[in-house]
């Protein structure tokens, strides 16, 4: 079968556990408790401190891997995984200094819901309530700049490894991204 997935690639300059890189394979669209979300099938981080923080504080099964963000020649983002290494190519093509698509500055914060134990992000809207279920947190995202980019894959190879598949030619870029995670507020 087929599902709609994607990759989230982040380079944290600052966090409670220092600078690190993160790659999340967003495996499929999911529905639970009247909410629609995106399930992250695999979360890789580049430091043992980040892996421990994910597991101890949030209960997220992160994996510590060597993560390389390579300039490459790809016009779009590609990810390959082998053993204990994750390589992301096309990273330099996705910097806002070179952005050729729609670029905007957006004030305020975008609210998203998060269920850390299953690595899922949810639209902040649901039909119905749930007494039993997964711990639900609010996340607020803000960025200095956002850009929507269209990168047709051309002859670039598809993703390989756990994130295997054909890439969609759409990227959302963010500079100065700030992620604020709030305490649990309900169940999903």
């Amino acid at each position: 079968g087929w599902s709609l997935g994607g990759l989230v690639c982040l380079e944290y300059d600052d966090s409670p556990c220092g600078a690190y890189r993160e790659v999340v394979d967003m495996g499929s669209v999911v529905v639970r408790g009247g909410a629609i979300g995106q399930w992250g099938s695999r979360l890789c981080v580049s430091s043992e401190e980040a892996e421990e923080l994910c597991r101890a504080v949030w209960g997220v099964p992160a994996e510590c891997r060597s993560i390389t963000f390579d300039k490459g020649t790809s016009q779009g983002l590609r990810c390959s995984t082998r053993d204990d290494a994750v390589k992301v190519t096309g990273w330099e093509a996705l910097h806002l200094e070179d952005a050729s698509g729609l670029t905007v500055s957006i004030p305020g914060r975008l609210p998203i819901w998060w269920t850390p134990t299953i690595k899922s992000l949810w639209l902040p809207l649901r039909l119905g309530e749930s007494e039993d279920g997964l711990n639900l947190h609010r996340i607020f995202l803000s960025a200095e700049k956002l850009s929507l980019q269209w990168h047709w894959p051309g002859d670039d190879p598809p993703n390989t490894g756990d994130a295997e598949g054909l890439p969609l030619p759409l990227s959302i870029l963010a500079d100065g991204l700030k992620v604020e995670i709030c305490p649990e507020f309900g169940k999903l």
Side-chain angles (χ1 to χ4, degrees), residues 10-172:
L10 300 165
E11 189 169 34
Y12 291 99
D13 298 325
D14 187 30
S15 80
C17 58
Y20 71 97
R21 293 178 174 168
E22 177 175 307
V23 175
V24 185
D25 176 11
M26 300 305 286
S28 66
V29 172
V30 291
V31 176
R32 180 184 171 98
I36 298 173
Q38 184 82 41
W39 169 62
S41 59
R42 185 175 189 193
L43 168 65
C44 297
V45 294
S46 64
S47 79
E48 290 179 6
E49 294 83 6
E51 178 186 32
E52 178 57 31
L53 186 72
C54 287
R55 290 176 188 267
V57 175
W58 302 111
V60 176
E63 304 171 34
C64 185
R65 300 283 182 256
S66 168
I67 299 176
T68 305
F69 288 169
D70 188 19
K71 291 181 182 180
T73 57
S74 172
Q75 291 299 306
L77 202 59
R78 300 291 179 274
C79 182
S80 61
T81 56
R82 297 195 199 301
D83 301 320
D84 288 340
V86 176
K87 182 177 182 180
V88 177
T89 57
W91 186 249
E92 288 299 315
L94 298 176
H95 280 205
L96 280 172
E97 299 89 47
D98 306 322
S100 58
L102 174 65
T103 302
V104 295
S105 293
I106 299 178
R109 304 179 309 169
L110 174 67
I112 295 178
W113 292 350
W114 181 45
T115 48
T117 53
I118 61 168
K119 303 181 297 286
S120 294
L121 298 173
W122 305 88
L123 294 176
L125 169 69
R126 71 173 164 199
L127 303 172
E129 291 293 321
S130 178
E131 294 296 320
D132 299 325
L134 303 168
N135 294 344
L136 189 59
H137 297 261
R138 283 186 183 93
I139 292 182
F140 291 99
L141 303 176
S142 58
E144 292 172 10
K145 285 186 182 177
L146 289 174
S147 178
L148 186 62
Q149 299 289 306
W150 182 265
H151 296 281
W152 192 250
D155 295 328
D156 292 339
N159 296 323
T160 62
D162 291 338
E164 191 168 334
L166 298 174
L168 293 175
L170 181 66
S171 299
I172 300 172

